[in-house]
Amino acid sequence: MIMKKFLSCVILIFFIFAGCSKKQEQVTEQQPVEEIPEVETFVFYQGTNFNDLLHKSKLQPSEITEILAELKKMVNINNCKPNDFYEVTYSTVVPSWQNFKYFPSSELFFYELTKSTDNIINGQKIQLETTKNRYEISGTIENSLWNSMAAENISPNIIISFANMFAWQFDFLTDTRNGDKFKIIYETETLTKTQNIISAKILAGQYKTATHTFNAIAFKDSKGYENYFDENGKSIKSSFLKAPLQFKRISSYFTKARFHPILKYYRPHEGIDYAAPTGTPVSAIGDGVVIKSQKSGGYGNLVIIKHPNGYSTYYGHLSKYGRGIKKGVRVKQGQVIGYVGATGLATGPHLDFRIQLNVKFLNFLKLKTPPNITLKGQDKIKFDEYKTELLQKLNNL
């Protein structure tokens, strides 16, 4: 009797342990080893190529060969540029790469290679997902446009675009006053995954002083040309910039009788002297052709540019000329044509700037030039319809 009870207990314990073991096996089966992929990223710089940069990774030579062979089917690997980058993902279970992505820096797509468990590689070109955001911001000037707009978390490239947009109407270095108002509507396109900004465009802007309000509205005409226009449909891009350089102060104005500090007698000064440090870039105020680029008496190093409609501009006392600036070269508005210096008859570094219409020198600070473009016909009708909403939003900011 005792022996039967003992055997019954042994059998019961056996089945209990067997059941626990079976349950443990089931739990183990439900929890496979979790894989955490390892990712390497490498950025191209000047002088690097695909082969060199791939050898900086953990990829084996045979893996590099197979990756390059597949990439060549989709893209010219010899055209990689600085700031392009690639990303390679490794398996921590199988000693091999799983995924390879090549991102051309200036494109909205990337190339992807995927390696299956049976070592079959598939390649594809994938479009990046982007997101557009619109911002409507207003603010008040305190000290400078840059600081005031930056305080509203406006990105540097938008601030620069805003200043350049109004460069033909307003000089933000000399004319800005505390209390001036700015308003801006702009749009950005960002990569949805990383939020990196791909492009940014100002749709409309306004700058308001105590006496003037300047408006700018982006509009594309029927010919496909996009420009900024005021509320009347006139291009805000004038024939000439407001100033040929970023200067510290005007040291001498246009006058018919100025006492020359070196020659020690009175004579006409038919230009504007812009005081600025040596080496400050000097820009062409408008499109034209260089008709002189050489030393010229009291002017020192001089550049003369001939513009349409009979205008010519003079840039004197330069320390050196801009790259490629010589007689016969065509230049664009805003292009650097030289650098501030003190060559010729000059007591200190400054730019002697003059503007001439036919044979007569004019006072540049009082010169009014017509806008380049005025919308007409169907373009003007469409613009008037388009501007209403943007101007209303600007005024309501």
Side-chain angles (χ1 to χ4, degrees):
M1 188 71 178
I2 296 172
M3 181 61 70
K4 284 183 179 180
K5 287 185 179 180
F6 175 75
L7 289 172
S8 298
C9 289
V10 170
I11 291 169
L12 179 62
I13 292 169
F14 172 78
F15 280 111
I16 289 172
F17 275 102
C20 289
S21 177
K22 201 174 269 188
K23 285 182 182 178
Q24 185 64 39
E25 286 176 8
Q26 290 174 354
V27 170
T28 304
E29 288 175 0
Q30 293 173 358
Q31 293 181 340
V33 177
E34 183 180 357
E35 179 176 4
I36 303 174
E38 181 184 350
V39 179
E40 279 188 312
T41 302
F42 292 90
V43 180
F44 288 84
Y45 54 89
Q46 193 69 41
T48 56
N49 57 49
F50 247 116
N51 190 60
D52 292 339
L53 206 59
L54 286 174
H55 276 90
K56 293 182 180 294
S57 70
K58 293 170 56 178
L59 291 165
Q60 298 299 314
S62 60
E63 294 176 318
I64 292 174
T65 300
E66 65 183 6
I67 286 174
L68 289 177
E70 293 299 324
L71 275 179
K72 286 176 182 178
K73 297 176 183 178
M74 298 188 294
V75 62
N76 185 349
I77 63 171
N78 296 319
N79 285 345
C80 53
K81 297 178 177 61
N83 296 321
D84 290 1
F85 68 94
Y86 75 80
E87 182 181 281
V88 58
T89 304
Y90 301 93
S91 170
T92 53
V93 176
V94 181
S96 178
W97 67 276
Q98 286 181 322
N99 185 273
F100 183 92
K101 295 176 182 176
Y102 166 53
F103 296 84
S105 57
S106 58
E107 304 294 348
L108 293 179
F109 56 80
F110 64 94
Y111 299 95
E112 182 179 43
L113 301 177
T114 305
K115 191 175 186 180
S116 65
T117 53
D118 52 358
N119 292 327
I120 295 175
I121 301 174
N122 292 312
Q124 59 182 328
K125 179 180 175 180
I126 300 177
Q127 198 70 26
L128 290 166
E129 185 180 348
T130 63
T131 304
K132 284 189 176 182
N133 296 297
R134 180 179 286 200
Y135 302 89
E136 300 176 4
I137 301 173
S138 64
T140 302
I141 297 298
E142 292 183 15
N143 298 321
S144 73
L145 178 74
W146 182 276
N147 290 339
S148 303
M149 295 187 86
E152 300 293 336
N153 294 318
I154 299 175
S155 62
N157 59 325
I158 289 292
I159 298 174
I160 293 170
S161 296
F162 186 89
N164 289 339
M165 188 170 66
F166 288 114
W168 293 270
Q169 282 73 37
F170 195 80
D171 192 325
F172 288 103
L173 284 175
T174 59
D175 299 339
T176 302
R177 298 289 181 272
N178 287 342
D180 289 354
K181 308 285 185 182
F182 67 85
K183 298 179 180 181
I184 184 172
I185 301 172
Y186 66 96
E187 192 174 71
T188 63
E189 186 174 13
T190 60
L191 291 177
T192 305
K193 183 179 180 180
T194 64
Q195 293 303 302
N196 289 339
I197 295 177
I198 303 164
S199 63
K201 175 188 173 184
I202 297 176
L203 303 178
Q206 184 181 92
Y207 193 82
K208 191 172 185 178
T209 69
T211 56
H212 290 86
T213 298
F214 302 96
N215 290 310
I217 300 162
F219 180 75
K220 185 180 290 186
D221 64 21
S222 56
K223 295 180 180 178
Y225 295 108
E226 189 168 52
N227 212 328
Y228 286 100
F229 298 88
D230 67 13
E231 62 274 19
N232 299 312
K234 294 181 179 180
S235 168
I236 66 169
K237 180 178 179 180
S238 178
S239 301
F240 298 129
L241 294 173
K242 286 281 288 182
L245 75 167
Q246 304 284 332
F247 60 95
K248 295 295 184 183
R249 61 188 173 87
I250 294 176
S251 56
S252 184
Y253 290 83
F254 185 96
T255 178
K256 292 297 181 181
R258 184 192 73 155
F259 186 77
H260 196 282
I262 295 178
L263 300 178
K264 304 300 183 184
Y265 64 85
Y266 287 91
R267 70 174 189 173
H269 184 259
E270 297 179 314
I272 309 295
D273 284 351
Y274 295 99
T278 298
T280 301
V282 176
S283 301
I285 65 164
D287 297 351
V289 177
V290 176
I291 60 174
K292 191 170 190 175
S293 177
Q294 64 184 60
K295 284 188 177 181
S296 184
Y299 284 112
N301 295 330
L302 173 69
V303 171
I304 302 178
I305 299 173
K306 184 176 178 60
H307 306 277
N309 303 318
Y311 287 96
S312 298
T313 49
Y314 290 60
Y315 309 79
H317 304 314
L318 300 174
S319 59
K320 61 179 181 177
Y321 304 106
R323 180 177 294 180
I325 298 301
K326 57 184 179 181
K327 186 176 180 179
V329 169
R330 184 171 294 277
V331 295
K332 287 288 187 182
Q333 187 178 63
Q335 182 177 338
V336 174
I337 53 90
Y339 300 86
V340 169
T343 56
L345 294 176
T347 57
H350 70 279
L351 172 70
D352 183 342
F353 174 75
R354 305 184 182 212
I355 185 165
Q356 187 180 51
L357 178 59
N358 298 322
V359 295
K360 182 180 180 181
F361 284 102
L362 307 175
N363 186 345
F364 181 64
L365 297 179
K366 294 183 178 180
L367 183 67
K368 292 183 179 180
T369 58
N372 280 346
I373 305 169
T374 300
L375 294 173
K376 297 177 182 178
Q378 286 298 313
D379 282 338
K380 181 63 164 62
I381 293 172
K382 290 181 180 179
F383 174 78
D384 287 340
E385 294 172 354
Y386 174 73
K387 74 175 184 182
T388 303
E389 178 190 356
L390 288 174
L391 282 176
Q392 186 175 356
K393 286 186 175 182
L394 282 175
N395 292 329
N396 290 338
L397 281 177

